[in-house]
Amino acid sequence: MRYPHSLFVKMAPRTLAAVFILSVACGPALAGDARAGHDKARQCQVCHGLDGLAKLPDAPHIAGDSAIYIEMQLKAYRSGERTHPQMSIVAQALSDEDISDLAAYYSAIEVTVKVPEL
């Protein structure tokens, strides 16, 4: 199983620190509108579900992911830095506002975890 945040593991420590500092300093200014993101997420629901739980076996769950992470990935698809047959096409049509709104919506979904009793 892929770990969805493996991008952060591959980042140089300075890059990761810069992302963190910028996210803390600019976080509120970059915050999207979760309500608008809900409406925009209709195009995402086929693969990722409106609830953020993947409906296809090769799509990741994105419910509760960090808004920063979701924004970084969508922008990477849009720029071509990251590629995927469907995501590369979908991301091309997204504005910065769309990306912020989608990230705000999916990151606002609360996910609960139950650890198995062993």
Side-chain angles (χ1 to χ4, degrees):
M1 181 169 128
R2 283 183 308 151
Y3 182 63
H5 304 292
S6 60
L7 174 68
F8 290 118
V9 174
K10 295 177 184 175
M11 283 184 160
R14 286 184 181 177
T15 304
L16 188 55
V19 168
F20 176 75
I21 291 168
L22 285 173
S23 68
V24 171
C26 302
L30 300 176
D33 180 347
R35 186 175 304 268
H38 176 268
D39 296 335
K40 295 172 184 180
R42 301 230 180 262
Q43 67 181 328
C44 310
Q45 72 181 357
V46 172
C47 299
H48 299 287
L50 197 54
D51 60 0
L53 300 177
K55 306 306 178 203
L56 300 175
D58 64 338
H61 297 310
I62 57 176
D65 269 355
S66 159
I68 296 165
Y69 177 78
I70 293 171
E71 284 197 38
M72 285 177 57
Q73 299 314 303
L74 287 172
K75 288 178 180 179
Y77 283 121
R78 187 177 64 185
S79 72
E81 180 183 336
R82 186 170 180 188
T83 61
H84 181 273
Q86 288 82 25
M87 285 302 302
S88 296
I89 294 169
V90 170
Q92 290 301 313
L94 298 175
S95 67
D96 285 344
E97 181 181 355
D98 294 335
I99 289 173
S100 292
D101 293 346
L102 288 165
Y105 171 67
Y106 279 113
S107 68
I109 296 172
E110 292 185 25
V111 178
T112 58
V113 176
K114 181 179 178 185
V115 178
E117 294 181 30
L118 303 175

